[in-house]
């Protein structure tokens, strides 16, 4: 490696520094710096080959480099690899020594030698160097990857198939919101990105939201647009985001800014929410009242339709879903997309009445119709389930959060009054 070109670059940089022209100085400094980087890679590789580092008591080139050059092992190995590339690609070495390309460009030639083919990169040196001389490393990276894709097109399909095997998406409620984890395959991710990009563009000239804020807002707008335009119907009810809330708590949220200390609302699929969030949802959403009792008037008297209608009405579906807090009635099942089942089958004389309707997820509903699970109503929302071998399963429809909180408060009051242990 000739040092004359590097020395000339240093002389030009020194002259430019005293010229007073900042543009000329910066260009000369960059050329000299790139030429010095190439020289550093060459001398470091030579020291590694001759084991000259042992003269200073170092056992390896990486140890010497860490002590004397303040370079970590990864940087040292990268420089040595760059020198090997320049020895194999003389045109690249000439450009790097003259400060015409940066060491990051050389590393991309190294990538091409390893992941494409040495012969192909040798033949492509002239036009790849044209890209490197006139563009930043990121553009050369794009070109090199395009070259690799042209040489090995089947690997693109292999990567797509591999990505499909990894795909996963989970949305988990945590105390302060939702935690999203997952991996999307190539096509699904592209669709998702296209939607987010479309919705997350700045809305005004002075939109000062961060990229993260705009992405989250875009996702919210996407979900809102889908819900407003309508999802596939579910037996007459469009699936929506639902909040189950006692009427007094709802009244307080709509009329006051302070928490009333009453029973909390529950966001279906998430859990209890505070009065301020409830107030916001109430302001932007629709309310569907569901009567449970009013004096001597029971819910069943209003919603029952007897045997005149086979399928549960939309009002009955809402009532059953609210009564079960949106979860499957089968013991231990937490699925939330419910199908309404007649405990006493309509085809066998059953009635489409509230006390004879129960919500199951699709899987549990199939088990009931396969005879693997049997259910019998005893009135008042109580059921007995029996397995195929006749073992009974005592089942009271899953208590809502409101009922659980009522029990906790009642037990707490008893504990305070009688110093009894607290039960939940």
């Amino acid at each position: 490696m000739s040092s004359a070109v590097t020395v000339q670059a240093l002389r030009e940089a020194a002259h430019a520094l005293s010229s007073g022209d900042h543009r000329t100085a910066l260009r000369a400094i960059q050329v000299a710096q790139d030429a010095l980087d190439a020289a550093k890679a060459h001398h470091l590789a030579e020291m590694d080959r001759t084991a000259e580092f042992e003269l200073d008591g170092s056992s390896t080139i990486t140890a010497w480099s860490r002590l004397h050059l303040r370079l970590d092992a990864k940087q040292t190995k990268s420089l040595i690899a760059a020198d090997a590339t320049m020895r194999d690609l003389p045109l690249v070495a000439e450009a790097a020594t003259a400060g015409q390309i940066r060491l990051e460009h050389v590393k991309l030639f190294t990538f091409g030698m390893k992941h494409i083919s040495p012969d192909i990169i040798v033949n492509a040196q002239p036009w790849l160097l044209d890209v490197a001389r006139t563009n930043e490393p990121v553009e050369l990276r794009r070109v090199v990857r395009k070259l690799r894709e042209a040489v090995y097109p089947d690997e693109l399909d292999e990567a797509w198939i591999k990505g499909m095997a990894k795909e996963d998406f989970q949305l988990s409620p945590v105390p302060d919101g939702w935690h999203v984890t997952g991996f999307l395959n190539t096509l699904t991710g592209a669709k998702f990105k296209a939607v987010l990009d479309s919705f997350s563009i700045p809305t005004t000239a002075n939109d000062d939201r961060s990229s993260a804020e705009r992405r989250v807002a875009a996702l919210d707008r996407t979900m809102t647009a889908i819900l407003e335009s309508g999802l596939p119907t579910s037996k007459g009810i469009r699936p929506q985001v639902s909040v189950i809330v006692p009427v007094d708590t709802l009244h307080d949220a709509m009329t006051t800014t302070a928490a009333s200390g009453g029973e909390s609302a529950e966001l279906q699929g998430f859990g209890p929410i505070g009065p301020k969030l409830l107030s916001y949802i109430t302001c932007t959403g629709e309310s569907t009242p569901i009567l449970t009792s009013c004096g001597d008037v029971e819910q069943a008297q209003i919603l029952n339709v007897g045997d005149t209608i086979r399928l549960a009405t939309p009002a009955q579906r809402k009532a059953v879903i609210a009564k079960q807090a949106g979860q499957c009635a089968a013991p231990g099942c937490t699925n939330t997309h419910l199908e309404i089942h007649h405990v006493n089958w309509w085809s066998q004389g059953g009635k489409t009445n509230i006390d004879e309707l129960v919500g199951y997820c699709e899987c549990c509903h199939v088990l009931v119709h396969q005879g693997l699970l049997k259910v019998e109503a005893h009135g008042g929302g109580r059921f007995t389930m029996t397995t195929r071998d006749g073992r009974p399963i005592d089942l009271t429809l899953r208590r809502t959060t409101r009922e659980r909180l009522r029990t906790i408060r009642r037990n707490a009051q008893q504990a305070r009054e009688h110093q009894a242990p607290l039960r939940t």
Side-chain angles (χ1 to χ4, degrees):
M1 176 180 179
S2 173
S3 61
V5 177
T6 303
V7 172
Q8 180 61 31
L10 291 174
R11 286 174 177 166
E12 292 178 359
H15 178 73
L17 285 172
S18 59
S19 67
D21 186 340
H22 299 301
R23 294 173 300 164
T24 301
L26 285 171
R27 284 193 288 264
I29 290 171
Q30 187 63 58
V31 169
Q33 181 177 328
D34 293 336
L36 284 174
D37 284 341
K40 180 168 63 176
H42 170 72
H43 288 284
L44 200 59
E46 286 296 318
M47 179 179 286
D48 186 37
R49 281 192 289 272
T50 61
E52 193 174 341
F53 51 82
E54 294 179 352
L55 297 177
D56 290 327
S58 298
S59 58
T60 63
I61 186 62
T62 55
W64 186 94
S65 181
R66 183 182 296 109
L67 179 62
H68 295 276
L69 304 182
R70 299 176 301 283
L71 299 176
D72 59 32
K74 181 179 180 181
Q75 292 171 315
T76 300
K77 292 178 181 178
S78 178
L79 287 167
I80 293 174
D83 178 74
T85 299
M86 289 187 287
R87 284 189 283 109
D88 292 334
L89 302 174
L91 295 181
V92 172
E94 181 179 341
T97 302
Q100 298 173 354
I101 62 175
R102 304 186 62 188
L103 205 59
E104 285 75 9
H105 291 107
V106 178
K107 292 176 182 178
L108 291 169
F109 281 95
T110 303
F111 174 87
M113 295 282 283
K114 180 178 180 180
H115 297 284
I116 302 177
S117 165
D119 292 338
I120 292 176
I121 297 300
V122 168
N123 294 329
Q125 267 188 105
W127 64 269
L128 286 178
L129 275 173
D130 288 340
V131 175
R133 288 190 181 101
T134 55
N135 293 278
E136 56 186 323
V138 67
E139 177 62 18
L140 180 61
R141 179 182 295 108
R142 187 188 68 81
V143 172
V144 171
R145 289 190 178 278
K146 285 288 186 182
L147 177 59
R148 185 174 186 272
E149 292 162 6
V151 175
Y152 303 109
D154 292 343
E155 290 191 4
L156 295 176
D157 284 334
E158 292 176 5
W160 168 55
I161 295 172
K162 183 179 179 181
M164 292 186 67
K166 293 167 56 180
E167 61 186 1
D168 181 29
F169 188 84
Q170 296 183 14
L171 187 64
S172 306
V174 294
D176 53 351
W178 297 84
H179 184 69
V180 182
T181 56
F183 179 89
L184 300 179
N185 68 61
T186 304
L187 185 57
T188 304
K191 292 178 181 178
F192 189 39
K193 186 176 186 302
V195 172
L196 283 186
D197 288 347
S198 176
F199 276 105
S200 63
I201 59 175
T203 55
T204 61
N206 59 348
D207 189 347
D208 58 354
R209 294 176 300 167
S210 67
S211 298
E213 290 173 328
R214 286 191 284 109
R215 284 195 298 270
V216 174
L219 183 59
D220 180 76
R221 289 180 60 192
T222 303
M223 300 299 101
T224 301
I226 294 173
L227 289 173
E228 288 179 347
S229 62
L231 295 171
T233 58
S234 178
K235 307 297 184 183
I237 299 178
R238 266 193 343 208
Q240 298 287 334
V241 174
S242 300
V243 177
I244 300 174
V245 53
V247 65
D248 53 348
T249 302
L250 178 62
H251 177 269
D252 291 340
M254 296 174 66
T255 58
T256 180
T257 58
S260 64
E263 299 170 5
S264 61
E266 180 164 328
L267 178 62
Q268 188 171 321
F270 177 76
I273 60 174
K276 293 182 180 179
L277 177 54
L278 174 62
S279 175
Y280 172 75
I281 295 174
T282 302
C283 185
T284 58
E286 297 179 354
S287 298
T288 301
I290 299 175
L291 179 67
T292 56
S293 64
C294 182
D296 296 332
V297 180
E298 293 294 328
Q299 179 190 47
Q301 294 176 252
I302 299 175
L303 298 181
N304 288 349
V305 295
D307 57 4
T308 60
I309 299 177
R310 177 172 184 173
L311 298 179
T313 66
Q316 288 176 324
R317 285 185 56 82
K318 289 181 179 179
V320 171
I321 291 172
K323 182 167 59 174
Q324 298 178 197
Q327 291 187 333
C328 177
C333 181
T334 58
N335 290 337
T336 56
H337 185 78
L338 305 185
E339 299 178 345
I340 304 303
H341 173 72
H342 289 73
V343 178
N344 299 313
W345 292 15
W346 191 85
S347 60
Q348 300 175 9
K351 299 183 183 300
T352 309
N353 295 341
I354 285 296
D355 287 343
E356 296 188 31
L357 298 177
V358 61
Y360 290 115
C361 69
E362 182 180 0
C363 293
C364 294
H365 197 183
V366 169
L367 292 177
V368 171
H369 280 267
Q370 289 177 341
L372 300 178
L373 290 177
K374 296 181 180 180
V375 58
E376 180 181 355
H378 298 287
R382 293 191 61 84
F383 298 83
T384 299
M385 293 193 69
T386 306
T387 62
R388 181 170 56 180
D389 57 5
R391 290 180 299 168
I393 302 176
D394 292 329
L395 169 66
T396 300
L397 284 180
R398 194 182 311 276
R399 293 180 298 172
T400 63
T401 297
R402 183 169 64 255
E403 293 170 325
R404 290 196 296 269
L405 289 175
R406 185 181 297 117
T407 300
I408 292 172
R409 291 192 184 95
R410 184 171 60 249
N411 290 340
Q413 181 65 27
Q414 292 174 353
R416 285 193 295 268
E417 293 176 355
H418 307 291
Q419 299 299 315
L422 179 63
R423 303 184 302 277
T424 56

